[in-house]
Amino acid sequence: MSNDILTHTEAGVMTITLNRLERKNSITAAMYGAMADALATAVEDPGVRVVVLQGHETIFSAGNDIGDFLNKPPAGMDSPVFRFLRSIAAFPKPLLAAVCGPAVGVGTTLLLHCDLVYAGDNAAFSMPFVNLGLCPEAASSLLVPQMLGYHRAAEALLLGEPFMAEAALEVGLVNRVVPPTEASGLAQAVARKLAAKPLTSLVETKRLMKKGQQQLVQQQMDEEGASFSRMLGEPAAKEAFGAFMAKRKPDFSKL
Ligand code: COA
């Protein structure tokens, strides 16, 4: 059994930790599956009232594992990556994240589905899907323009350049910025505060806040997922992934 995803439940708080530092916490199909399973347990288990997602003080996640994507591209909407994305989008209990260091691709887009996000001042968010010959996922093509406004969203999604913790705080992607050594502790403290509140009220309040666009989010995710899966097999992504593996600059001049 792999230790790439660690889960730990204490005082009503389940903590899911990305633990694949040697690959910068990039996420394989197995890791998506493990996180989706943990979230399914968290939904059912009355002993879990709040979930916290975290990485390491130096890196949250380098996004999808590129080698894994090349060798085992997601096959259909039941594949682990889409199962995970659906789980976070529909997760009924409070979902928190502690983010330090780079949060690339899904490392940033998954935060759109968290209720509270605490960032280390070293956090760097990026959604470089275009640079990889892909398109956005996790309903980010809907939620990022809503959160950032269209032009700043275009900067984030078309250029794919990183933005830092303070900018994320300004647009409302994160709740607070603290030193990296404090982000996990802060998320835990807030999670415990939430875990002491009536779960019925938390769940109903979250449902009411989200119900206006739950269906829209799902539809956008499905459409993005279909495009993303198709584009994984197309020349632009092949060139981008090949370049990453060979540690060279991609050449999109003919695409
Ligand atoms: N998939 C697979 N392997 C990855 C990876 C990913 N997404 N991100 C990093 N790695 C691997 C690197 O290839 C490297 O492997 P090596 O030791 O065999 O050379 C190792 O992890 C360390 O990464 P490195 O790039 O040297 O670390 P860094 O601290 O200089 O940079 C990042 C960290 C996250 C900024 C950088 O690794 C990066 O940009 N990764 C790719 C992100 C990406 O495009 N993700 C896909 C989003 S859809």
Side-chain angles (χ1 to χ4, degrees), residues 22-24 26 59 62 64-66 102 104 129 132 244 247:
E22 72 286 0
R23 289 274 152 210
K24 299 287 166 183
S26 55
I59 175 108
N64 292 299
D65 182 292
I66 291 178
V104 187
F129 302 110
L132 294 166
F244 179 82
K247 298 188 189 294

Side-chain angles (χ1 to χ4, degrees), residues 20-27 59 61-69 102-106 126 128-129 132 134 137 228 241 244-245 247:
R20 193 175 179 238
L21 266 184
E22 72 286 0
R23 289 274 152 210
K24 299 287 166 183
N25 283 346
S26 55
I27 309 176
I59 175 108
S61 172
N64 292 299
D65 182 292
I66 291 178
D68 202 53
F69 249 15
V104 187
V106 71
S126 60
F129 302 110
L132 294 166
L134 297 170
E137 34 73 319
F228 195 100
F241 290 173
F244 179 82
M245 296 312 235
K247 298 188 189 294

